[in-house]
Amino acid sequence: MLSVRRSRFISLQKIAAIASSSWNCQNTFINQQCQKFSSGEETVRIGCASAFWGDTAAAAPQLVHQGKIDFLVFDYLAEITMSILAAAKRKSPEMGYATDFVQITMGPLLNDLKRKGIRVVSNAGGVNPHACAKALQDIAKKAGVDMKMAVVTGDNLLSQMKDIASQGITDIDSGSQFPAAVASMNAYLGATPIAKALDMGADIVITGRCVDSAVVLGPLVHKFKWKPTDYDLLAQGSLAGHLVECGAQATGGIFTDWHLVEGWDNIGFPIVECSTDGSFILSKPPKTGGLVSKATVAEQLVYEIGDPRAYLLPDVTCDFSNVNLVEAKDCTTQEDGILVTGAKGSPPPSKYKVTATYPDGNKIVFLVVIGGPRAAEKGIKTAENVLKRVRRMLKFLGMEDFTRTHVQMLGSESMYGSKARSTQTREVVALISAEHQDKRGVGLLARELAPAGTGMAPGTTGPGGGRPKISPVLKLFSFLYPKEKVDIEVHMDGVAEKVEVPVLEGEQETSPPPQQQAPETHLETGNETYTVGQLAYTRSGDKANSSNIGVIARHPSFLPYLKHALTEEAVQEYFQQVFDGTEPGEKLVTRYDLPGINALNFVLKKSLGSGGVASMRADPQGKCYGQMLLDFEITNLPDLLSKTKEQ
């Protein structure tokens, strides 16, 4: 067993009175305190090497060899990944897990992990965690490395499909009925079974579906023996997991000020050094690229969240609205870091969130290059006529029309809708996509796209590659399911131990009431016009068919002006082109406040064209929405930038 590292660590009490509220203030006093103050507290260092299945293979060796970590954790599972793995398992009973984890990442590192005493937690098990563990154990035996491996099961509820379907369960977002056929169905488990596996002595813990932050919270619960009712500690540990679960996104990846970030080729992956009191410093390994600052960490804090006062997890309900970020130094490596405090917790929900994926037809997505004058107009006319031709064929064959179609001219600012600045480009990529319940329907379209190159607009070309591939449409169905109906076990050394998840009083079932959006008054006016990008950082992401956009003020004095301009109504109007199937007057944008980091969070419902692989758009996950908001103009302002430079 690896002993917990003791290191210099500044406490919450020490920084409370001296924390700066300015994003641009370099608090050298706090850095000095972190270097000199020896609290004697136990700390543990956790590095995250994966944000998704397909992340860089360079991250894990970097953290193992340079990070001085106690735990190496991986997050592999997006919602749609589960259905892909389920399909792989149906083809071969030995598949259904993230094979990269075994073959590319862990194999070469097993000796180093053993020698350094680094323990591993990963949800790479997908829908077949036992097979994942066996494959890894086989590699370990060949390498002569003795590793104790534990497997967490219970998240896969596919065997209960008939019983669940008979209960009249509806989707928590759309209210739709339970689908007739399901490809995968998994509950989002928490940190409790991971902590138990580590308590049992596991060197490597492999799980199926769990909440992303659990791979970090589990080791912290294990090391610090936090109790199920230590809500504030659990919230802080969950925040540590939330900040690192997307890998390099916390260390300069996809940062608003990307031009200030160097070394993308060797970007550092995040490390959290956590204390028994829940406070932690986020940093990265020495001599790596990227950037750790209050802004990069704040951007990741607002990534893919809803109401920051009620971030619902299986172990705790988190309140991130008053989190505090302070510049500090990693106490082990002396790298630049951010001290994170201020998350609060309350009892968790009594139910697990369960996400099922189900097939709903077939689709194709085709890209064709069109050049020359009025390229966008030619692209639109081409797409309209190809679809018109195929619809005539479908009718002749007695087949139904397409379920959905989508046309987009990439290169003409088509995703901006009426906010596009120019459509007179001389080069576009026409995106033509369609969905049909019958595979033959999209097959007709696949055949009829190529003739556009000889029978329609001049300048129609492409890089080759043949006809577009027909893919199944996989959609999400999410619901809540009582914890007591989910049987969780930890398997190690041929023994299965049941995991008891406590039922706690006062469990949260719903979010708190919406925050009152009182108008900002008594603001100074002037003749200046600024864009949101001059006053704020942004970060956007997805949850099913909703997206969120976090807006973080570059200086506290900018926040009132951002709040005044970025009302729910203004943001909904700005993004009106992204909403599907809306009713007149329907409210689709909700704004939340995060005063701790001088930020706002906007949740946009029905904004992703069904989201994930079900979407036919060029941006199915809302990744560009934050960038699009940067150009939102705010008028009649005083000279804000000059004033902050003088401070």
Side-chain angles (χ1 to χ4, degrees):
M1 296 287 288
L2 181 68
S3 61
V4 178
R5 179 176 288 108
R6 292 181 179 273
S7 63
R8 300 180 182 90
F9 202 86
I10 189 165
S11 68
L12 170 60
Q13 292 79 12
K14 288 286 183 180
I15 60 93
I18 56 176
S20 169
S21 62
S22 171
W23 287 103
N24 301 313
C25 175
Q26 187 71 25
N27 200 321
T28 56
F29 177 72
I30 290 178
N31 292 338
Q32 292 168 359
Q33 288 298 304
C34 188
Q35 295 171 21
K36 297 178 180 179
F37 180 77
S38 179
S39 67
E41 289 185 87
E42 290 183 328
T43 63
V44 61
R45 291 172 63 82
I46 303 173
C48 182
S50 174
F52 62 97
W53 187 18
D55 208 342
T56 175
Q62 176 199 98
L63 290 166
V64 169
H65 297 307
Q66 299 171 251
K68 299 182 179 180
I69 56 175
D70 302 312
F71 288 89
L72 178 66
V73 303
F74 299 81
D75 176 32
Y76 282 100
L77 302 180
E79 286 87 350
I80 294 300
T81 306
M82 302 302 291
S83 62
I84 296 171
L85 294 175
K89 186 180 180 182
R90 285 194 296 272
K91 292 180 180 178
S92 172
E94 296 181 352
M95 290 290 100
Y97 61 89
T99 53
D100 293 3
F101 170 72
V102 175
Q103 299 169 356
I104 297 175
T105 302
M106 290 295 290
L109 289 175
L110 286 172
N111 279 293
D112 292 315
L113 291 167
K114 184 70 174 181
R115 178 173 53 84
K116 291 174 178 283
I118 298 172
R119 302 169 79 179
V120 175
V121 179
S122 173
N123 60 10
V127 298
N128 203 353
H130 282 295
C132 181
K134 182 182 183 303
L136 186 56
Q137 193 67 268
D138 290 344
I139 290 177
K141 286 180 181 179
K142 289 180 181 178
V145 182
D146 181 22
M147 287 288 203
K148 289 189 175 183
M149 297 189 193
V151 172
V152 175
T153 63
D155 64 292
N156 194 337
L157 303 181
L158 202 56
S159 63
Q160 302 179 37
M161 183 181 68
K162 289 184 179 179
D163 178 59
I164 292 172
S166 68
Q167 297 178 32
I169 289 173
T170 58
D171 184 85
I172 56 178
D173 293 318
S174 67
S176 59
Q177 298 298 310
F178 196 86
V182 171
S184 66
M185 182 162 55
N186 298 81
Y188 286 76
L189 303 185
T192 300
I194 295 173
K196 183 175 181 64
L198 294 169
D199 290 344
M200 292 166 62
D203 298 309
I204 299 174
V205 181
I206 295 173
T207 79
R209 166 51 87 195
C210 62
V211 290
D212 301 345
S213 56
V215 296
V216 170
L217 182 59
L220 296 178
V221 171
H222 159 70
K223 282 295 185 181
F224 298 141
K225 306 305 177 187
W226 290 343
K227 299 176 182 178
T229 53
D230 290 334
Y231 300 130
D232 288 352
L233 297 176
L234 295 173
Q236 274 288 134
S238 297
L239 177 57
H242 172 69
L243 290 177
V244 304
E245 70 193 30
C246 289
Q249 286 189 187
T251 52
I254 66 171
F255 181 43
T256 299
D257 291 351
W258 55 271
H259 55 285
L260 301 179
V261 183
E262 299 297 333
W264 285 350
D265 63 303
N266 186 35
I267 194 166
F269 270 63
I271 298 168
V272 282
E273 184 172 19
C274 306
S275 170
T276 55
D277 69 358
S279 54
F280 60 90
I281 290 177
L282 188 151
S283 65
K284 61 184 180 66
K287 299 180 181 179
T288 57
L291 174 67
V292 176
S293 68
K294 287 196 286 187
T296 63
V297 174
E299 282 197 20
Q300 184 56 29
L301 194 158
V302 298
Y303 182 66
E304 293 185 346
I305 66 171
D307 187 342
R309 302 166 302 162
Y311 190 70
L312 302 176
L313 295 172
D315 303 288
V316 63
T317 297
C318 304
D319 182 351
F320 295 156
S321 61
N322 284 292
V323 167
N324 191 34
L325 306 178
V326 178
E327 291 156 349
K329 289 287 185 183
D330 181 304
C331 302
T332 299
T333 65
Q334 296 305 303
E335 284 290 298
D336 289 341
I338 296 297
L339 177 63
V340 184
T341 59
K344 297 295 182 183
S346 58
S350 62
K351 298 178 180 179
Y352 287 118
K353 179 182 177 181
V354 180
T355 294
T357 61
Y358 64 97
D360 190 23
N362 307 272
K363 73 170 184 178
I364 63 167
V365 178
F366 185 68
L367 301 175
V368 58
V369 177
I370 298 177
R374 300 165 64 185
E377 293 180 55
K378 288 190 292 185
I380 292 171
K381 186 173 181 179
T382 297
E384 289 175 346
N385 280 273
V386 169
L387 289 170
K388 186 176 180 180
R389 173 184 290 174
V390 176
R391 282 191 166 105
R392 190 164 60 248
M393 292 179 174
L394 290 172
K395 186 175 181 180
F396 176 78
L397 294 171
M399 299 175 65
E400 296 290 330
D401 193 3
F402 294 114
T403 310
R404 293 186 298 165
T405 62
H406 180 71
V407 173
Q408 194 170 347
M409 296 300 116
L410 308 182
S412 68
E413 300 194 5
S414 57
M415 68 174 59
Y416 284 82
S418 63
K419 308 300 187 302
R421 290 177 176 171
S422 174
T423 59
Q424 297 305 313
T425 178
R426 293 176 294 176
E427 176 184 283
V428 298
V429 175
L431 183 154
I432 306 170
S433 52
E435 177 184 295
H436 200 284
Q437 290 298 315
D438 191 325
K439 197 172 183 179
R440 296 174 300 163
V442 287
L444 278 175
L445 180 59
R447 288 194 297 271
E448 289 299 324
L449 287 165
T454 57
M456 295 190 183
T460 300
T461 182
R467 293 174 181 170
K469 180 182 177 181
I470 299 173
S471 304
V473 176
L474 292 170
K475 294 185 178 179
L476 301 180
F477 182 93
S478 299
F479 60 97
L480 302 178
Y481 199 61
K483 288 180 177 177
E484 62 267 21
K485 293 186 177 182
V486 178
D487 296 323
I488 306 172
E489 291 182 331
V490 175
H491 304 255
M492 194 172 77
D493 295 333
V495 177
E497 291 200 19
K498 188 173 182 179
V499 179
E500 298 291 343
V501 176
V503 178
L504 304 169
E505 293 184 6
E507 291 178 323
Q508 303 294 315
E509 304 298 342
T510 60
S511 297
Q515 294 170 318
Q516 296 298 317
Q517 302 297 326
E520 296 293 320
T521 57
H522 308 297
L523 293 178
E524 184 181 354
T525 60
N527 298 319
E528 299 294 329
T529 296
Y530 294 110
T531 63
V532 166
Q534 290 175 285
L535 305 180
Y537 309 96
T538 64
R539 174 73 62 84
S540 58
D542 69 304
K543 284 295 180 186
N545 195 27
S546 295
S547 60
N548 89 294
I549 307 173
V551 179
I552 306 109
R554 292 178 181 269
H555 189 278
S557 65
F558 298 165
L559 184 60
Y561 296 95
L562 291 165
K563 292 179 69 173
H564 179 74
L566 296 176
T567 62
E568 294 171 339
E569 295 77 13
V571 172
Q572 181 163 329
E573 192 281 331
Y574 188 78
F575 285 98
Q576 59 182 310
Q577 71 278 5
V578 307
F579 299 110
D580 275 345
T582 60
E583 300 294 332
E586 185 177 2
K587 183 177 183 292
L588 297 168
V589 174
T590 303
R591 190 182 82 182
Y592 300 100
D593 293 335
L594 292 88
I597 59 170
N598 302 303
L600 307 171
N601 185 48
F602 296 90
V603 175
L604 286 64
K605 296 181 179 179
K606 300 182 182 179
S607 58
L608 297 174
S610 294
V613 296
S615 177
M616 296 189 288
R617 300 180 183 179
D619 183 12
Q621 296 175 300
K623 298 290 188 181
C624 295
Y625 290 4
Q627 291 292 294
M628 293 163 66
L629 191 60
L630 293 175
D631 289 325
F632 185 106
E633 290 189 343
I634 307 175
T635 60
N636 301 320
L637 298 186
D639 187 355
L640 297 176
L641 299 185
S642 295
K643 287 186 177 182
T644 55
K645 289 178 181 178
E646 295 170 358
Q647 295 179 6

